[in-house]
């Protein structure tokens, strides 16, 4: 892999409080990575360390194979050739859209600069707004201007710090896809920081789920959802519940809804490398693993329901007393307290030893 960015066991602390702990990450040229996690997990601090706004106390950061940070040295931010899109856009209110985009292009000849600004205006869909000022634009348009300005000097790496936090949900979803297309069209290498997994899934090629200053799993979205490395990732990504299960053999786990088939030892948690028959495990069951089926002999009681338009998310009490979630097409509209037929429809096992606690 042609690595553009390498973080090797970096550490950072505020006073005596460690914030980033021996974190390592590699990002290939042209890829979009993401640091995803709850507030306070250290993801923005990692971004600031990459940018050069914060120093590291151990480890090293390399850009294009060149060391830019270690415990004794930190290259100034302006020498790293990194672009950044901030949470609040940080546009210059007294400059037009075109002037904002061209702000960092002072070393270019006038004609070259004008051509680059025109190119980016077209790419971000604001060719007709070049003479407008930031206050005349919507939040989504301002975000595109901020992105165009960061891309204008063709940085080696682009950093995006919670770029959609000021936008409403519907605009975030649409803009997430647009920004991915823009970044890919420019062959840009980028890292996004967010607490919103929908944004991460829409934009990033690979995602690092962070907790307590560490990356718990760095993977594609599908694997984070279906093959979580530990219980924190399993709980943080998507929705689901853990049901008690018993290992039958190396490929089968039994829960009260039926038998699941999969590679049990591989996903039975860090404290249990080989799960023997009879071993108790916690099995992750997602809402899409439980299917509504009027003909099923298994009945569950509706405890809560959340209408979502095309579907309803039901919270169900299972016959054994456990609680589970089921995502059901909304034309199956059942009342709270009603019993409905359900069946298990899952083609893999996500199981952890009962003693494998969250980090």
């Amino acid at each position: 892999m042609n690595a553009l960015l390498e973080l090797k066991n970096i550490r950072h602390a505020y006073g005596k409080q460690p914030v980033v702990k021996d974190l390592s990450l590699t990002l290939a040229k042209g890829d979009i990575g993401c640091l995803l996690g709850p507030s306070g997990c250290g993801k923005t601090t990692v971004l600031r360390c990459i940018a050069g706004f914060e120093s590291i106390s151990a480890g090293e950061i390399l850009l294009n194979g060149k060391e830019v940070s270690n415990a004794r040295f930190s290259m100034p931010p302006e020498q790293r050739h990194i672009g950044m899109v901030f949470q609040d856009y940080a546009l210059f209110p007294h400059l037009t859209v075109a002037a904002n985009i061209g702000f960092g292009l002072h070393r270019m000849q006038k004609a070259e600069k004008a051509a680059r600004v025109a190119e980016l205006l077209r790419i971000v869909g604001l060719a007709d707004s070049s003479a407008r000022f930031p206050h005349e634009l919507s939040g989504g348009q301002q975000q595109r201007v901020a992105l165009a300005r960061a891309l204008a000097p063709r940085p080696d790496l682009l950093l995006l710090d919670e770029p959609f936090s000021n936008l409403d949900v519907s605009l975030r979803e649409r803009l997430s896809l647009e920004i991915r297309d823009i970044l890919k069209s420019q062959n840009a290498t980028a890292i996004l920081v967010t607490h919103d997994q929908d944004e991460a899934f829409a934009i990033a090629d690979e995602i690092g789920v962070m907790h307590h200053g560490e990356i718990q799993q760095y993977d594609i979205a599908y694997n984070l959802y279906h093959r979580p490395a530990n219980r924190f990732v399993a709980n943080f990504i998507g929705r689901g519940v853990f049901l008690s299960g018993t290992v039958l053999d190396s490929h089968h786990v039994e829960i009260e809804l039926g038998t699941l088939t999969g590679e049990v030892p591989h996903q039975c948690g860090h404290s249990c490398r080989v799960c023997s028959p009879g071993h108790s495990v916690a099995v992750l069951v997602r809402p899409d693993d439980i299917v509504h089926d009027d003909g099923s002999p298994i009945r569950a009681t509706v405890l809560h329901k959340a209408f979502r338009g095309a579907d309803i998310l039901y919270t169900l009490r299972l016959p054994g007393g456990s609680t589970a979630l089921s995502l059901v097409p909304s034309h199956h509209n059942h009342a709270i307290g009603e019993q409905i037929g359900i069946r298990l429809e899952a083609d893999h096992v996500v199981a952890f030893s009962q003693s494998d606690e969250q980090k």
Side-chain angles (χ1 to χ4, degrees):
M1 179 176 67
N2 183 17
L4 186 139
L5 172 70
E6 294 177 85
L7 308 183
K8 297 184 177 180
N9 301 110
I10 68 168
R11 297 183 192 174
H12 180 83
Y14 292 120
K16 295 184 178 180
Q17 179 64 39
V19 179
V20 180
K21 308 170 187 175
D22 293 313
L23 185 142
S24 296
L25 173 70
T26 300
L27 186 67
K29 184 174 178 58
D31 279 359
I32 304 172
C34 175
L35 296 176
L36 170 68
S39 297
C41 70
K43 57 188 184 295
T44 294
T45 301
V46 173
L47 209 68
R48 291 178 60 81
C49 290
I50 296 169
F53 301 146
E54 302 280 356
S55 58
I56 57 176
S57 58
E60 55 184 337
I61 299 175
L62 294 89
L63 283 169
N64 287 312
K66 180 179 180 181
E67 193 172 51
V68 297
S69 284
N70 59 37
R72 301 169 304 281
F73 162 77
S74 182
M75 179 183 287
E78 63 273 14
Q79 295 179 18
R80 298 191 181 199
H81 208 227
I82 289 176
M84 193 152 187
V85 179
F86 296 94
Q87 205 168 9
D88 59 358
Y89 318 142
L91 299 177
F92 300 109
H94 62 290
L95 297 181
T96 64
V97 167
N100 264 283
I101 294 173
F103 183 80
L105 304 180
H106 47 274
R107 295 183 180 179
M108 286 187 179
Q109 297 293 326
K110 187 175 180 180
E112 184 185 8
K113 178 177 177 179
R116 179 61 174 159
V117 169
E119 177 190 13
L120 285 163
L121 282 167
R122 177 183 54 78
I123 288 169
V124 300
L126 293 171
D128 296 333
S129 301
S130 62
R132 297 171 71 186
F133 290 88
H135 72 271
E136 299 176 297
L137 305 177
S138 68
Q141 290 172 323
Q142 289 182 43
Q143 183 60 275
R144 286 190 213 141
V145 175
L147 178 63
R149 183 181 62 185
L151 287 170
R154 294 186 174 87
D156 291 333
L157 178 66
L158 185 66
L159 307 178
L160 300 100
D161 184 15
E162 298 273 8
F164 309 113
S165 60
N166 296 328
L167 305 176
D168 62 63
V169 174
S170 61
L171 184 55
R172 281 186 203 178
E173 292 175 355
R174 179 165 55 81
L175 201 55
S176 295
L177 297 173
E178 289 179 4
I179 283 184
R180 176 177 170 82
D181 288 343
I182 291 168
L183 293 174
K184 288 299 182 181
S185 74
Q186 295 290 289
N187 195 32
T189 309
I191 293 185
L192 164 75
V193 158
T194 182
H195 64 275
D196 187 318
Q197 57 190 270
D198 290 334
E199 289 176 16
F201 291 173
I203 295 177
D205 297 308
E206 290 191 295
I207 301 160
V209 178
M210 285 192 65
H211 185 49
H212 293 333
E214 300 174 310
I215 291 180
Q216 303 294 309
Q217 185 174 354
Y218 190 72
D219 217 326
I220 62 173
Y222 181 91
N223 288 343
L224 293 176
Y225 187 86
H226 289 291
R227 298 167 187 158
N230 57 40
R231 288 189 66 162
F232 176 80
V233 177
N235 274 326
F236 187 76
I237 298 295
R239 301 192 64 169
V241 297
F242 283 97
L243 299 179
S244 295
T246 303
V247 176
L248 300 180
D249 56 39
S250 62
H251 290 84
H252 298 90
V253 173
E254 185 176 39
I255 61 175
E256 68 169 291
L257 294 175
T259 301
L260 288 164
T261 301
E263 295 293 331
V264 178
H266 176 69
Q267 294 177 319
C268 200
H270 298 294
S271 61
C272 181
R273 292 300 180 189
V274 179
C275 292
S276 57
H279 187 89
S280 294
V281 290
V283 181
L284 177 65
V285 179
R286 300 286 195 190
D288 46 314
D289 292 331
I290 297 178
V291 176
H292 179 275
D293 182 356
D294 288 327
S296 173
I298 303 174
R299 316 301 287 181
T301 304
V302 176
L303 298 179
H304 304 286
K305 56 191 291 190
F307 184 76
R308 298 187 170 192
D311 47 51
I312 298 174
L313 181 67
Y314 285 104
T315 303
L316 305 172
R317 184 171 61 241
L318 303 181
S322 300
T323 300
L325 301 172
S326 180
L327 200 60
V328 177
S330 62
H331 56 270
H332 295 287
N333 186 23
H334 296 284
I336 291 174
E338 185 178 347
Q339 285 204 333
I340 63 173
I342 59 168
R343 60 181 166 82
L344 186 66
E345 192 171 286
D347 57 4
H348 62 282
V349 178
V350 179
F352 301 94
S353 172
Q354 293 283 14
S355 61
D356 187 25
E357 298 297 328
Q358 292 187 47
K359 291 188 178 182

